[in-house]
Amino acid sequence: VAFTFDDFAAAIEQYDFNSEIGTRVKGTVFKTDANGALVDISAKSSAYLSVEQACIHRIKHVEEAGIVPGMVEEFVIIGENESDDSLLLSLRNIQYELAWERCRQLQAEDVIVKAKVIGANKGGLVALVEGLRGFVPFSQISSKAAAEELLEKEIPLKFVEVDEEQTKLVLSNRKAVADSQAQLGIGSVVLGVVQSLKPYGAFIDIGGINGLLHVSQISHDRVSDIATVLQPGDTLKVMILSHDRDRGRVSLSTKKLEPTPGDMIRNPKLVFEKAEEMAQTFRQRIAQAEAMARADMLRFQPESGLTLSSDGILGPLGSE
C-alpha cells in the first residue's frame, strides 16, 4: 500500500494533541542538562522544561527537584520556542496553584504553621509559606526582637488573608502566639529550647513563646550556677507551672519532673524520659487538691443538697 510523506504528515496532524498555552500534558523526562530537561510529551517535537520552571523553590539544577530521566509527570504548556517550534513546559505553575489551594485550606482550618523568615522591609517581614512569599506586618509580630534577628528563623504564623488573584498572602505571628498560649495547660509538658541565661533563671522558647525557668525551679537541689546545668541552644522538656495570659508570662519547671531530687543536675536524660509520667502524677495531685477544696466548701453549704459520707464520698444528703 502506497504511503507518502504527505500521508504521514496528515496522520500526525490528525492525531496531534491540543498544544495551547495552559493545557496540561503528561510527559516523560528523557534528558537533563545544566539549564533544564527535555521531556517527551508524544508531540511532533520534544518539549523543554527550564530549571526556572521546574520547581516553586529556587534551585540550581532540575535534579534538586527530583527531576531525572525516566520520571513521568504532568506538566503545563506555557509557550513555544520560536527557533525550533518546541513547546515550553512548567511544573512551577502547577505547584504554584497547589500552594495557593493549600494556603486557603490551612486558613479555613485555622491552623498554625511554622515558616522561615527570608526577608524584611520597612513594613514587616517576608516569610516562606508552602513555597509562597507571605507578608507579616510588624504590628502582627509578637516578638520584640529586631527584624534582623528573626531572619532565617522559623516563627509560628496564622493566615489573615489569602487572595490568589491579588497575589496577597498576609499572616500574623501575634495570633499564632496567642492561640498557642491559650492551649497551654498547667501541668502539661512541652519541648523547649534554651534562648538565654540570666542570674535568676533561663528563658526557654516553647514554640514561639518565651517562658521563664526560674533558678529555683530547675532542681530540688540548689543550683548556684545555671550554666553548669543549661546552655543556650539546649533542647529540653519543661512543665508549664503557671500561665498569666494577661501579662503573657509563662512559668516553667523541670524540678517538678525529677523522679528523685537532684536528677536534673546528675541525670537530665532520665528526667526527660520520665517527664510525662511525673507530670501525670503532678496533675493528679492538683486534681485531688481541687476536689478536696470543693468538698470543703460543700461542708459549709448544706443548702446545696450534697454532703460527704463517712468514707469521703460526695453524694445527696442522707445517702449512705
Side-chain angles (χ1 to χ4, degrees), residues 149-188:
E149 296 178 41
L150 296 174
L151 287 176
E152 298 303 314
K153 291 187 177 180
E154 286 194 342
I155 60 174
L157 298 169
K158 292 197 76 172
F159 293 89
V160 175
E161 186 174 359
V162 180
D163 189 339
E164 182 178 358
E165 291 185 4
Q166 300 293 326
T167 320
K168 195 173 184 181
L169 184 60
V170 182
L171 305 117
S172 172
N173 169 247
R174 187 179 295 277
K175 286 188 176 182
V177 170
D179 278 15
S180 296
Q181 288 181 338
Q183 296 169 11
L184 294 179
I186 306 303
S188 58

Side-chain angles (χ1 to χ4, degrees), residues 255-302:
K255 174 180 177 178
K256 303 293 184 184
L257 301 178
E258 289 184 320
T260 56
D263 280 344
M264 191 60 198
I265 298 172
R266 295 186 299 270
N267 191 0
K269 184 179 179 181
L270 176 65
V271 176
F272 303 148
E273 288 175 353
K274 298 284 187 178
E276 295 293 345
E277 181 182 333
M278 296 301 297
Q280 177 64 22
T281 302
F282 176 82
R283 291 192 292 267
Q284 288 174 349
R285 289 201 302 266
I286 294 295
Q288 290 171 357
E290 290 177 346
M292 291 180 64
R294 287 194 297 270
D296 286 341
M297 289 181 64
L298 287 171
R299 293 178 189 275
F300 301 100
Q301 297 178 3

